[in-house]
Amino acid sequence: MAHVILRHRDVENIKELDVYVKNGGYEGLKKALSMTPEEVVNEIKAAGIRGRGGAGFPAGIKWSFMPKGDGQKYIVINNDESETGTFKDREILEGNPHQVIEGALIAAYAVGADMVYCYWRGEYMDAAYPAEKAIKDAYKAGYLGKNILGSGFDCDYHNHFGAGAYICGEETALLNSLMGNLGQPWSKPPFPAQAGAYDKPTVVNNVETLANVPPTMVNGADWYANLGTDQSNGVKIVCMSGHVARPGNYEVEMGKVTYRELIYGDEYCQGMRDGKEFKALLPSGGSGPVVLPDALDGNVSFEGLNDYGSMMGSASVIVMDEDTDMVWAALKMTHFFKHESCGKCTPCREGTFWLEKTLHRIMEGHGTEEDIKTLDRVAHSMQGKCLCALGEFAVSPVIGTLKHFRSEYVAKVRQAEAVPAD
Amino acid sequence: MIAEKYAKEIESLFERYPADQRKSAVLPLLHIAQQEYGYSSEEAMKEVAEIIGCDPTHVRGIAGFYSLYYEEEVGKYVLEVCNDLACALRGADEFIKMAEGKLGIDLEGTTEDGMFTLKNVMCLGACDRAPMLQCNLKFHENLDEAKFDQLIADYRAKAAAGDSEPTVVDKILIQTHH
Amino acid sequence: MSETVNIIVDGIEAEVPKGLTVVDAAKMVDVDIPVFCHHPKLEPVGMCRMCLVDIGMPMFDRETREPVMDDDGTQKINWGRGMQTGCTVRVADGMNVRTNTEGVLDARNTVIEFLLTSHPLDCPICDKGGECPLQNLTMAHGLGDSHFPFDQKMKNDKHVPLGDLIALDRERCIQCARCVRFQDEVVDDPVLGFHNRGRKLEIITYSDPGFDSYWSGNTTDICPVGALTTNDFRFGARPWELRPVASISPHGPEGENITMSTRQEAKSGGRVVIKRIMPRQNEQVNEIWISDRTRFGHHFADADGRLMTPMVRKNGELQAASWDEALSLVADKFKAAGSNAAGLSGDRMSNEDLFAFQDMMRNTVGTNNIDLANGRIAGGDVTAQVGVGTGTNLADMGAGDAVIVFASDLHEEAPIWWLRVKQAAQRGAKVFTFNVRETRLDAVAAETTLYKPGDAIDTARALLNALNVSDQKAKDGVGAIASAIADAENVVAFYGFEGLTYEETDSLSRILANVLLVNGNVGKANNGLIAVWPHNNTQGAWDMGIHPAFGPGYKALDKAGKSAADIYESGADALYVMGADPVGDGLMNGRKNVGFMVVQELFMNATAELADVVLPAQSWAERDGTFTNGERRIQLYYPAIAPMGKSKADWQIIGMLNEKMGGDKPKMAASLVFKKAIAAGVAQYKGMDYRSLAQVEKQFPDVGGADLYYGGNSYENKHGMGQQWASAAESGEVTSLDIPDAKSSKVSGIATIRTAALYTNGSLLQHSELLEPRMATPRIMINEADANGIATGDEVQVRVNGETMTLQAYVNGVAPQGVALLNGVPHVAGVIDAEITKG
Ligand SMILES: Cc1cc2nc3c(=O)[nH]c(=O)nc-3n(C[C@H](O)[C@H](O)[C@H](O)COP(=O)(O)O)c2cc1C
Ligand code: SF4
Ligand code: FES
C-alpha cells in the first residue's frame, strides 16, 4: 500500500512544492476552502482522526471546542518530539513538510485561526531546513499569507525553536515556551481552546495528526474512517528502536499489524538483532507500561494493547532482548524523567529524584529490600498527584518493571546484601 | 553586540510574534547570542534582555531551564551523545567511553585546545540510528569508532580552515526569514 | 456579595460567592484545606499539590439532562477521575467537595513528606520557626516519620544575598513561586525568577541592584518557609518572643497599617526595641503589603543622637535643664510675645500634637501665626469639600472607572497608591496621567499627557473646559480624555506638586475639584479628590488647623495670621518649631528677627542648633496617637517601645506648657486629647474616639489569622482599621469652586524641577543603614538636546535657590527636551531657572 503520511518514501522529492502539488498537494486545502469551516470540522470529526501525540484525543472534537466568531486564534503544531524512542515527526517534516503545512492550514481555516506556529524541539533545527524552505515556497505560491488561493482566507505560518526540554511537548508547557516563559506546564483549566497562546483560543495538535488531515479532505471522511478499526481510524507511524534488526519508522494501518509482525515481519524490522530472544518492549517510549512476550499479539491501535495492560500511546516501540537488565532499563528511563522534570510540582520534582536515587543504589549494588519498598512507595506517592502527565509517565517504568521483573530487583539486592558493605 | 550585527534578522524574528510579545523571541535570540559568544555568557544574556526589554533575571532563568543553553564556557564544538534508553540499547554508553578515550576528556569536559566539549544528552529523536550525536545542533548518525575518528578529523580540519560554513543557527534562524 | 452558588464541603452545605476557589470557599465554612503555593492575592497555580481534594459534580443524563439518582433518592455525584487541586478549581453550583477521604489525607502526607525530604530541619535556628506554614502543616498533616534515607537532603547555599535587603536560604525553599509571582503579578518588578529545573530549581535575581524593587520585603512575609529573610531581622529574634504592636507607617500619605514586632533585650541595655516591621492587614488601605521604606525605615526611633533631655541656652551654649526650667522659660517668652508669637509645625506629628499645638498658640498665647513649616502642597480645604467619599476603596475600582493622576509620581511618592492604581488599571480602570515627564504609572495609563513646565494649570483648565462644553468636538488630546472621564462611573483624582509652586497646587486642586463636580464624581465612595501629601499626616495638619487662615475643621478665621513664608521673612518675637527643620531645609535663613526660639524635636537638627530651648520629643514608636491619611482615614497607632530619656509626647509637652501659661491642665492621655479636644473641636471628627477607631471588621482574604495557611504573612488587624471622615460633598451641595490665578513659574532657559525618589536622604531615612546603598544619589537628568557637552557621569554645578549644589549629570533619555530633573535632593518648589555648569 502506498504511504499516506510517509509519502516521500514513494514520491521522490515530495518535499518540493512543485512535486507535492503535482501529486495532489494542496487539493485538500482547496476542498476545505470550498466548504464552510463547520463542514470541515464535521468532516474531521466524522473521519475520526485521533491525536497522534499520545493521548488520542479526537482532533475534530478538539477543534469544535474552539469558540466561534472573530478574534485572534492560533494553531500550534507540536513538533517537540522528545519522548525516548520517538522519531516520526522529524521524518514527516523532513520528508513531506507540505502535508503538515497543508493540514495546519485546513485546521486554521476550520477554527478561524490566522496564525500557525510550529514548535520544534531545538535539536531539530538542522532538520528544519526543508520545512523552512517549504514555508518560503508556500508563501511565494500563495498557499500562505494573505487571501490564500483567492479565498479571502489569510494565514501565516512560522517555525519556533525550543532549546532542549522534553516537558515542552506537554501542550501548556509548549505554549509557555512559545510565549517566552519558562517551559513549565500550567494547571488546566484553562485549556488551550479557552486560553492558549497569548491567552487566545488555541489548538495544539501533533505533527502526525495534522499530516492525516489533507488526505482525509481529499478522499473524504468515509475513506479515512474505513481504514483501521472502530476506535482507531487511519494509519499510524510506529517508531521501532532498540534490539531489532532494522529499526526505523513504519507506517501501518491501525489494528492490522501486531507487534510480533512489526518485530519479525519482513516488511518491518526483520527480527531481533543478532537473533536474540525477545524479552520485553516499551510501546510508548518511556511512558507506557512494559509489554511482555504474551502481548506481542496485540495490534497497533489505541485499543490494541488494552487486554495486556498497556497502550499504544505515541507508538514509539523500544524493543529489548533477553540480555537486557530490566533494573538498568528502569534506571535509564527514570533518569530521563528526573532530568526532564520541570520542577514545578512537588511530587514529580521530588519523586523522580527519589526514584532515580534509589534505583541507582540498587544498580550500584548497595540496594536493600527496603529500597524496593521505597520504590513502590514513591511511585504510589506520585500517582494521581502530579500537575501534568510527566509525573505519571515517570512512575510507569518503575511500576511496570517491579510488577513483571521484581525477581531481577530482588536478585540484585540479595546479592548486595550478601556482600559486606565496604 | 548582536543587536547591531543582526538588526534586520532580529527585527524579522519579532515580526513572527504579536507586537507586544517580544518575550516570545527569547529562545531564538539566545540561540543566536550563544552562537555569537560561544556560550550563554553573562554578556549574552544581558544583551538578549535588553533587546527584549525584560529583566536579565528572566533570560537567565530561561537559559538555566533549557539544556541547549550553556551557562559555562564550552569548546568550539559541543559533541552531545544521546545515551538514553533506546540509544543505550544500541551501544551508546560504550560509544561515549570510546569518545572519552579518544578525546582524552571525561563527560562535560573540554579538550585542552578548547575544540571539543563532550556531553551526554537525553533522547535526540534519532534512536533508530544510534549511536549518534549532535555537534552544534547538527546530527551525526549510525556512528562507530571509525566514523567518530573521521568526524573529529573533519571538524579539526574545518576549524583549521577558518570554519566558514554557515552553522545550523546561521542557516535556520538568521538566513531564512520570510 | 454578588452572585452565589451552593456547594457542599464535607457534608456542610454552604452558599458562597461565585468565582471563589474551592480552598477559599471551604474556609468560609471553617474547613481548612492546607496550601503552600496558593495565596489569595496571587493567581492560582496549583503547583505544590498540597490542596488536593475530591471534587464532584452532580450527575445529569447526557441525553435527557435529567438528574441521575442514586438508590437512596439523592442525586448521584460524578467524582471524576482523580483528586483536583482546590486552589485552582472555582466553585460551581452543586459542587461537592470532600477534604477528609483517605486519598486526600494520604496525598497531604506524601506532599509534606516529599517537601521535607529536601528541606533542612533547621527550625531551631530558622527565623520563620514559630510562624511557618510548613512547620504548622507538618504538625497538622505530616506523618511524623519519613521513608527516605536522610543522607540525600538538599545541601545548598544558605544566605545567598538577593541584593542588600533580602537573603535566600536555598535549601529551605520549597519552590512555591509565591515570591516570583508576587514580584511579577502584584508589583510588576519581575526581578526574581527560577533557574534550572527539577529538583535543582532555585530562586535567582539578576537585576541591578540585586532584587531591585520597592516591595522586596513582602516576599519574606509570603514565603511559606524561612527561605527568604530580611537583612534587617534575620537572626534577630524568635517570633514567639516578639510582642506585636499595631501601628501606622510614619512615612508617606497612604497610612500603611503595620505591626512592629518588639522585644526587650539585654544587648540594648534592657530596652524594648523594634525588631522588625511587618504589614497589618487593612484591605481598604494597604491590603497586606508595605513598601520597603516603611519596612526598613524605622531605625530613626532607635537611632543614636536622639534628644534625651530638655536644653536651655546658657552663656551661648545649649545645656541640659529640667522640664520645669525649660518650660517656665518658654512660657514666659510666649506669654510676653502674645500675638507676635508664631508657631510652625512639621506634618509628621500626630493629630493630638497638632491640635494641642494650635490650640495653645491660638487660645493661650493668642496668635494666628500658625502654619506648616514646610508646606509644599495646598488643598486640604479643597479635599475637605470634595475629597474621596467615605467607603472609598481603590481595590473596588476597575472597568468603567477612571483615575486622574496630576503632577505626581506615585511610584516614588506614595507607592501603595501606585500599586493600587496600577491594579485598578489592570482590572480595566482608565488611568490618565498628567505630568512634565514620564512616570512609571504611564505603563498602565490609558493616556499620558505631557505638558510643558509651567503649563500644568493651563492643561488642567483645558480639561475642565473640555468637560464643560457639551458638544465635544475636540476628541483628541484632553478632549478625548474629558469624554472618557465623563463616561466613567467613578472618578478619583490624585494631584501632587511635582514642578509646582504652592500657589499652583492650590489652583490645581480647585480645578480638579471642578472637574469632579461636573459629573457629580464627588460625595460618594470611589469618587473624589486625593492630595498626594508629602508626609504621613499632612492631611491631619490641615484638619487640625495648622494654617494661618483656618482653625480646626477648616473654620475660616476672622483675622488670618502670618504664613510660614511671612514668618521666615519677617520673624517673630517668639517662634515655636515643632517637628521641623526650616533652617536645615533652607527655608529660614538663620534666626534673624526671631526674638526667642524653641524647637521640639527628636534630633539636634540645624534649627535646634540655633534655638534658645530644645525640647526632646518622643518618636511615634514610643507613644500612641492618630494619623489621618490622604484618603482622610484616621488611624490609631500604639506605643511599641519605652520613651528615650526624658522625652515626652509632643501633645504632653504642649499640655504642660499650656498649663504654665495659664491654660487648661494637660490631658492625661492621647485618647483624651482626641476625645475631649479633637472630637469636640473638629467638626468632621465628631463622634469618634479611640474605641471607634479601634474597630475592626472581618476581612477577606483571611490572612494572618491563627489558621495554618498564611501564617507569617501579615498580621491580622485586631487593633483598628480607622474611620474616614465625610467630606462636605457627602452631606450637602458643593458647587463649583473659585479658582485663584496662580502665577505659574515659567523660565526662559532649561526648566528645572525636582522629582521625588522614594529613598531620599532625609531626617527619617538617614538612620536606616540598610537603605543607604539604595538612597537616590543627588543627580540632575538632562535631555540630549540640552546637554551642551555635558555627558552622563559629569559633575555639574547647579544653582538652585541661591545655593550651589554639585550633582552628577545623567543624559539618559529620561528628561524631556528643555527640562532638567533634579533627583535625590531636598524639596525644591516649582520650576526653577537653574544654571547648570560643568566642572
Ligand atoms: C510530558 C509530555 C510530553 C509530551 N510530548 C509530546 C510531544 O513531544 N509531541 C506531541 O505531539 N505531544 C506531546 N505530548 C502530548 C501533548 O500534551 C498534547 O496532548 C498533544 O500535542 C496534542 O496533540 P494531538 O491531539 O494531535 O495528539 C506530551 C505530553 C506530556 C504530558
Ligand atoms: S523562596 Fe519562599 S516564596 Fe520563593 S519559591 Fe522558595 S519557598 Fe516559595
Ligand atoms: S497546589 Fe493548591 S495550594 Fe499549592
Side-chain angles (χ1 to χ4, degrees):
Chain A
M1 201 178 94
H3 288 92
V4 175
I5 309 291
L6 303 177
R7 292 185 67 200
H8 52 286
R9 294 188 176 184
D10 306 329
V11 183
E12 203 180 334
N13 259 336
I14 200 165
K15 64 175 180 250
E16 299 298 335
L17 179 64
D18 51 345
V19 180
Y20 182 67
V21 170
K22 219 175 289 156
N23 286 279
Y26 288 106
E27 287 304 319
L29 173 64
K30 283 184 195 152
K31 185 150 173 215
L33 292 175
S34 73
M35 299 158 65
T36 67
E38 288 74 45
E39 285 166 350
V40 178
V41 172
N42 287 336
E43 191 76 7
I44 298 303
K45 263 195 204 165
I49 301 179
R50 290 176 64 177
R52 302 302 198 235
F57 194 84
I61 295 183
K62 189 185 276 191
W63 297 2
S64 70
F65 289 154
M66 291 286 276
K68 306 282 172 291
D70 296 342
Q72 183 71 57
K73 292 171 219 171
Y74 294 100
I75 300 289
V76 174
I77 308 173
N78 190 341
N79 185 30
D80 190 59
E81 191 160 70
S82 308
E83 175 88 40
T84 313
T86 315
F87 41 86
K88 63 188 179 68
D89 297 337
R90 170 162 74 112
E91 182 177 346
I92 299 171
L93 273 164
E94 234 177 342
N96 189 12
H98 284 288
Q99 192 161 328
V100 179
I101 297 174
E102 186 182 358
L105 279 169
I106 295 168
Y109 175 73
V111 305
D114 66 356
M115 176 63 88
V116 178
Y117 290 110
C118 184
Y119 186 101
W120 294 67
R121 62 178 302 183
E123 295 90 336
Y124 280 180
M125 210 181 283
D126 193 35
Y129 197 66
E132 283 280 350
K133 181 167 184 305
I135 297 167
K136 224 173 187 168
D137 293 344
Y139 265 105
K140 264 193 236 142
Y143 294 109
L144 284 173
K146 292 261 172 279
N147 192 18
I148 292 168
L149 301 174
S151 64
F153 167 57
D154 304 336
C155 193
D156 284 307
Y157 184 112
H158 295 297
N159 283 336
H160 179 95
F161 295 92
Y166 163 65
I167 186 61
C168 291
E170 197 285 333
E171 55 188 6
T172 59
L174 182 153
L175 292 171
N176 262 332
S177 179
L178 171 68
M179 294 187 273
N181 301 327
L182 279 195
Q184 294 182 325
W186 70 67
S187 168
K188 294 183 272 197
F191 292 90
Q194 302 166 294
Y198 311 112
D199 265 356
K200 300 288 189 285
T202 302
V203 166
V204 181
N205 268 139
N206 172 256
V207 170
E208 186 188 348
T209 312
L210 290 170
N212 274 284
V213 170
T216 306
M217 289 310 295
V218 171
N219 300 317
D222 286 347
W223 165 80
Y224 190 89
N226 281 330
L227 289 174
T229 68
D230 280 357
Q231 295 172 46
S232 308
N233 298 349
V235 295
K236 178 80 193 85
I237 298 174
V238 187
C239 313
M240 297 297 295
S241 66
H243 290 145
V244 288
R246 209 172 61 129
N249 285 320
Y250 297 98
E251 181 176 314
V252 301
E253 187 178 342
M254 289 266 209
K256 299 293 153 68
V257 181
T258 64
Y259 286 88
R260 188 183 308 283
E261 286 172 81
L262 273 173
I263 294 173
Y264 294 102
D266 275 349
E267 283 172 75
Y268 305 109
C269 293
Q270 298 175 351
M272 297 292 292
R273 197 179 59 170
D274 301 336
K276 290 271 168 65
E277 278 298 309
F278 171 87
K279 181 171 187 178
L281 66 77
L282 292 164
S284 178
S287 55
V290 59
V291 164
L292 304 183
D294 67 307
L296 287 180
D297 292 323
N299 63 52
V300 177
S301 65
F302 285 106
E303 67 280 15
L305 287 175
N306 281 1
D307 293 344
Y308 307 97
S310 192
M311 58 191 209
M312 174 183 80
S314 55
S316 350
V317 180
I318 304 174
V319 179
M320 291 172 279
D321 68 19
E322 54 190 314
D323 296 338
T324 313
D325 178 339
M326 294 311 285
V327 180
W328 170 85
L331 173 58
K332 275 275 177 199
M333 289 319 309
T334 305
H335 174 71
F336 171 81
F337 288 116
K338 180 219 136 188
H339 189 268
E340 298 301 327
S341 169
C342 78
K344 183 166 180 172
C345 79
T346 312
C348 174
R349 179 180 68 236
E350 303 291 337
T352 52
F353 170 87
W354 283 103
L355 288 178
E356 195 216 26
K357 209 77 203 171
T358 314
L359 276 165
H360 197 75
R361 206 166 34 203
I362 297 174
M363 264 318 279
E364 295 273 284
H366 307 304
T368 62
E369 300 255 5
E370 194 53 36
D371 286 329
I372 301 179
K373 282 195 206 134
T374 301
L375 289 176
D376 273 329
R377 248 183 325 237
V378 175
H380 160 82
S381 296
M382 293 171 69
Q383 268 184 319
K385 302 184 186 71
C386 297
L387 191 153
C388 86
L390 190 148
E392 308 297 326
F393 294 167
V395 299
S396 169
V398 176
I399 289 187
T401 52
L402 276 173
K403 182 165 159 202
H404 300 297
F405 302 98
R406 201 174 191 95
S407 58
E408 293 189 26
Y409 283 90
V410 173
K412 278 212 161 57
V413 302
R414 294 254 163 90
Q415 203 181 350
E417 280 166 5
V419 185
D422 45 34
Chain B
M1 293 292 276
I2 62 164
E4 274 106 64
K5 186 163 170 192
Y6 300 115
K8 215 174 83 231
E9 289 79 7
I10 290 173
E11 231 12 80
S12 86
L13 263 180
F14 281 124
E15 277 164 20
R16 298 182 174 192
Y17 311 103
D20 57 343
Q21 299 288 344
R22 293 174 74 84
K23 228 165 61 177
S24 269
V26 67
L27 298 185
L29 284 173
L30 262 174
H31 280 304
I32 294 173
Q34 177 159 291
Q35 163 167 308
E36 195 64 23
Y37 291 95
Y39 72 110
S40 289
S41 62
E42 229 170 85
E43 199 182 355
M45 290 188 278
K46 285 205 167 138
E47 245 180 72
V48 170
E50 191 143 305
I51 295 170
I52 292 173
C54 69
D55 194 273
T57 309
H58 181 71
V59 179
R60 176 152 222 206
I62 296 287
F65 187 86
Y66 293 96
S67 58
L68 284 181
Y69 301 125
Y70 317 122
E71 291 181 277
E72 311 271 309
E73 247 174 287
V74 287
K76 183 171 172 62
Y77 300 107
V78 184
L79 306 171
E80 295 180 309
V81 187
C82 170
N83 68 338
D84 221 336
L85 178 61
C87 278
L89 292 172
R90 302 182 75 82
D93 285 325
E94 294 72 20
F95 182 83
I96 288 179
K97 286 240 160 53
M98 182 276 296
E100 284 178 328
K102 293 259 157 149
L103 295 170
I105 49 176
D106 290 339
L107 276 182
E108 296 298 318
T110 301
T111 53
E112 255 169 41
D113 56 2
M115 200 60 72
F116 296 103
T117 298
L118 186 67
K119 288 173 178 280
N120 70 320
V121 291
M122 300 295 106
C123 181
L124 289 175
C127 329
D128 53 336
R129 301 174 214 177
M132 63 80 61
L133 59 80
Q134 66 177 353
C135 174
N136 295 7
L137 298 184
K138 202 175 169 66
F139 281 18
H140 298 275
E141 302 168 326
N142 290 319
L143 297 175
D144 55 25
E145 186 170 342
K147 285 184 187 160
F148 181 75
D149 289 343
Q150 188 59 48
L151 188 118
I152 296 297
D154 287 350
Y155 275 114
R156 282 200 196 282
K158 236 168 98 174
D163 198 356
S164 58
E165 233 179 278
T167 65
V168 171
V169 174
D170 270 330
K171 233 166 70 183
I172 304 301
L173 287 177
I174 301 176
Q175 288 172 14
T176 61
H177 33 273
H178 24 269
Chain C
M1 216 180 273
S2 44
E3 261 182 278
T4 61
V5 293
N6 291 303
I7 61 166
I8 301 174
V9 184
D10 292 342
I12 308 166
E13 292 182 27
E15 190 183 335
V16 296
K18 205 178 155 179
L20 231 51
T21 63
V22 167
V23 165
D24 289 331
K27 223 165 158 77
M28 295 196 121
V29 290
D30 291 327
V31 172
D32 279 355
I33 300 173
V35 300
F36 284 119
C37 67
H38 184 57
H39 193 285
K41 293 282 184 191
L42 302 172
E43 285 299 314
V45 284
M47 59 199 269
C48 74
R49 319 303 288 172
M50 188 61 188
C51 65
L52 286 168
V53 289
D54 289 327
I55 295 176
M57 289 301 291
M59 263 207 263
F60 291 90
D61 189 282
R62 260 173 208 256
E63 247 104 79
T64 62
R65 303 253 130 235
E66 292 294 309
V68 179
M69 293 307 191
D70 230 337
D71 295 341
D72 63 0
T74 56
Q75 194 171 354
K76 267 200 178 146
I77 302 290
N78 176 2
W79 288 103
R81 271 191 296 168
M83 291 176 282
Q84 286 179 276
T85 43
C87 70
T88 58
V89 177
R90 311 255 171 202
V91 288
D93 212 23
M95 185 178 273
N96 202 321
V97 180
R98 290 191 306 217
T99 78
N100 49 15
T101 60
E102 219 171 283
V104 170
L105 299 180
D106 172 58
R108 287 177 193 170
N109 286 338
T110 58
V111 169
I112 295 249
E113 185 178 9
F114 273 139
L115 287 176
L116 292 180
T117 61
S118 49
H119 193 85
L121 296 183
D122 61 349
C123 305
I125 56 151
C126 177
D127 284 322
K128 202 82 169 186
E131 51 186 16
C132 171
L134 179 58
Q135 206 177 40
N136 293 343
L137 290 171
T138 301
M139 301 311 279
H141 302 284
L143 271 183
D145 66 356
S146 172
H147 301 122
F148 301 104
F150 275 82
D151 57 346
Q152 300 297 350
K153 277 202 172 294
M154 293 290 266
K155 292 274 186 306
N156 261 333
D157 302 347
K158 284 179 145 341
H159 320 309
V160 182
L162 299 179
D164 28 43
L165 300 177
I166 308 293
L168 167 70
D169 184 317
R170 290 218 159 110
E171 39 179 55
R172 286 186 194 148
C173 172
I174 60 166
Q175 285 87 15
C176 70
R178 277 188 186 181
C179 54
V180 177
R181 290 181 287 140
F182 169 80
Q183 289 298 135
D184 287 2
E185 293 169 23
V186 180
V187 298
D188 195 24
D189 288 329
V191 295
L192 290 187
F194 275 129
H195 187 248
N196 229 312
R197 65 186 187 209
R199 205 177 185 236
K200 294 204 191 101
L201 211 59
E202 62 184 22
I203 297 294
I204 54 158
T205 181
Y206 216 48
S207 63
D208 181 24
F211 204 161
D212 185 17
S213 174
Y214 286 163
W215 307 97
S216 65
N218 294 289
T219 60
T220 66
D221 301 335
I222 59 172
C223 178
V225 293
L228 294 173
T229 47
T230 69
N231 286 351
D232 199 30
F233 176 63
R234 183 151 23 83
F235 299 143
R238 312 316 314 275
W240 55 85
E241 307 162 349
L242 297 172
R243 194 175 69 94
V245 180
S247 189
I248 301 296
S249 169
H251 305 278
E254 311 102 294
E256 290 155 289
N257 287 214
I258 57 175
T259 292
M260 296 194 251
S261 299
T262 64
R263 183 179 78 164
Q264 184 175 26
E265 58 184 26
K267 75 167 185 242
S268 308
R271 266 180 64 76
V272 173
V273 292
I274 302 170
K275 299 304 293 181
R276 67 174 181 190
I277 303 268
M278 291 232 329
R280 181 166 58 102
Q281 188 177 23
N282 190 335
E283 287 299 312
Q284 261 98 100
V285 178
N286 54 309
E287 304 176 30
I288 56 169
W289 316 124
I290 56 175
S291 74
D292 284 355
R293 176 171 67 172
T294 289
R295 187 181 303 263
F296 302 122
H298 62 87
H299 294 278
F300 65 92
D302 269 334
D304 287 342
R306 280 282 303 276
L307 296 169
M308 297 292 195
T309 174
M311 282 185 278
V312 172
R313 191 171 294 278
K314 290 179 194 155
N315 308 323
E317 296 267 316
L318 281 170
Q319 292 179 9
S322 69
W323 274 110
D324 192 56
E325 182 188 354
L327 291 181
S328 300
L329 177 61
V330 176
D332 289 348
K333 296 288 184 185
F334 274 76
K335 275 211 84 149
S339 62
N340 289 329
L344 295 171
S345 172
D347 43 5
R348 291 193 169 106
M349 325 301 297
S350 75
N351 291 323
E352 293 70 12
D353 305 334
L354 294 161
F355 188 93
F357 182 67
Q358 62 80 35
D359 185 44
M360 172 187 80
M361 295 305 286
R362 289 202 165 98
N363 300 324
T364 309
V365 177
T367 179
N368 277 332
N369 301 335
I370 298 166
D371 206 351
L372 278 178
N374 192 0
R376 296 174 187 176
I377 164 171
D381 49 335
V382 181
T383 55
Q385 303 203 56
V386 298
V388 285
T390 46
T392 291
N393 183 352
L394 294 173
D396 292 338
M397 298 191 75
D401 300 333
V403 179
I404 299 170
V405 180
F406 216 116
S408 174
D409 181 351
L410 287 183
H411 187 246
E412 304 296 328
E413 295 171 36
I416 289 286
W417 287 342
W418 169 81
L419 177 61
R420 306 189 93 215
V421 171
K422 179 199 75 117
Q423 290 180 325
Q426 287 167 332
R427 287 187 296 268
K430 289 205 167 115
V431 174
F432 299 104
T433 55
F434 296 81
N435 207 331
V436 170
R437 45 117 198 175
E438 283 167 6
T439 66
R440 185 158 181 201
L441 192 59
D442 300 350
V444 293
E447 193 148 343
T448 295
T449 306
L450 296 181
Y451 50 77
K452 292 250 165 338
D455 283 353
I457 302 304
D458 290 347
T459 307
R461 272 192 206 275
L463 177 66
L464 177 59
N465 292 341
L467 264 168
N468 274 326
V469 291
S470 46
D471 71 315
Q472 285 174 29
K473 271 177 282 171
K475 283 289 177 202
D476 58 330
V478 285
I481 297 172
S483 5
I485 289 168
D487 291 343
E489 189 172 338
N490 301 299
V491 184
V492 167
F494 289 87
Y495 74 100
F497 53 95
E498 185 171 302
L500 303 182
T501 61
Y502 188 83
E503 289 72 30
E504 282 175 299
T505 60
D506 187 35
S507 295
L508 178 60
S509 67
R510 288 159 189 278
I511 297 169
L512 290 176
N514 290 347
V515 164
L516 294 165
L517 283 161
V518 173
N519 293 301
N521 296 117
V522 295
K524 52 191 184 194
N526 305 325
N527 285 278
L529 190 64
I530 297 179
V532 186
W533 303 117
H535 293 130
N536 56 319
N537 202 28
T538 320
Q539 178 75 47
W542 279 84
D543 296 353
M544 295 306 115
I546 305 299
H547 197 285
F550 303 119
Y554 302 94
K555 256 192 288 183
L557 301 171
D558 296 340
K559 189 170 170 296
K562 288 204 248 179
S563 70
D566 286 347
I567 297 166
Y568 296 142
E569 188 62 37
S570 62
D573 288 357
L575 175 63
Y576 205 115
V577 180
M578 175 170 83
D581 186 12
V583 175
D585 292 345
L587 298 165
M588 187 163 107
N589 190 5
R591 49 171 289 189
K592 65 166 182 186
N593 301 333
V594 173
F596 177 83
M597 182 159 77
V598 52
V599 173
Q600 183 169 309
E601 250 300 340
L602 301 181
F603 297 98
M604 183 59 84
N605 62 26
T607 314
E609 305 259 16
L610 302 177
D612 298 298
V613 173
V614 176
L615 302 173
Q618 288 169 1
S619 79
W620 108 114
E622 290 146 58
R623 24 79 59 97
D624 54 355
T626 59
F627 296 140
T628 306
N629 78 357
E631 297 175 86
R632 299 187 330 289
R633 177 180 294 272
I634 302 138
Q635 305 191 100
L636 194 52
Y637 63 90
Y638 297 82
I641 56 177
M644 287 275 189
K646 294 185 185 154
S647 66
K648 290 187 187 298
D650 297 84
W651 63 265
Q652 246 173 338
I653 303 173
I654 304 285
M656 286 157 59
L657 183 60
N658 194 40
E659 188 181 21
K660 277 212 185 302
M661 290 191 288
D664 290 345
K665 276 176 110 49
K667 302 279 184 295
M668 299 296 288
S671 59
L672 293 174
V673 179
F674 191 93
K675 188 170 176 163
K676 298 271 190 269
I678 298 178
V682 182
Q684 292 85 347
Y685 288 52
K686 202 172 146 192
M688 297 182 194
D689 58 19
Y690 275 20
R691 211 177 316 158
S692 67
L693 296 177
Q695 269 165 11
V696 291
E697 56 190 62
K698 194 167 169 55
Q699 301 188 69
F700 187 83
D702 187 2
V703 301
D707 61 41
L708 303 172
Y709 300 47
Y710 309 123
N713 264 224
S714 161
Y715 278 88
E716 191 182 352
N717 200 324
K718 294 182 183 157
H719 295 95
M721 296 177 64
Q723 273 179 289
Q724 263 175 311
W725 61 264
S727 64
E730 290 179 58
S731 48
E733 277 293 284
V734 175
T735 48
S736 132
L737 275 64
D738 290 342
I739 305 163
D741 255 336
K743 41 177 184 344
S744 294
S745 33
K746 291 200 183 180
V747 299
S748 45
I750 298 179
T752 305
I753 61 173
R754 185 255 191 192
T755 62
L758 188 69
Y759 306 136
T760 299
N761 213 345
S763 47
L764 300 196
L765 286 191
Q766 66 189 348
H767 303 285
S768 293
E769 265 172 50
L770 214 51
L771 292 177
E772 182 65 41
R774 303 210 166 210
M775 219 60 91
T777 49
R779 64 172 79 183
I780 184 160
M781 293 178 272
I782 31 189
N783 190 278
E784 210 168 334
D786 306 319
N788 227 338
I790 296 170
T792 294
D794 286 353
E795 281 204 339
V796 293
Q797 312 287 323
V798 184
R799 268 189 81 74
V800 180
N801 299 345
E803 196 195 330
T804 304
M805 296 185 270
T806 304
L807 302 172
Q808 277 238 302
Y810 283 79
V811 186
N812 56 358
V814 174
Q817 198 174 340
V819 181
L821 305 173
L822 291 169
N823 196 237
V825 302
H827 180 67
V828 178
V831 179
I832 46 174
D833 202 352
E835 250 173 79
I836 304 164
T837 49
K838 201 170 151 177

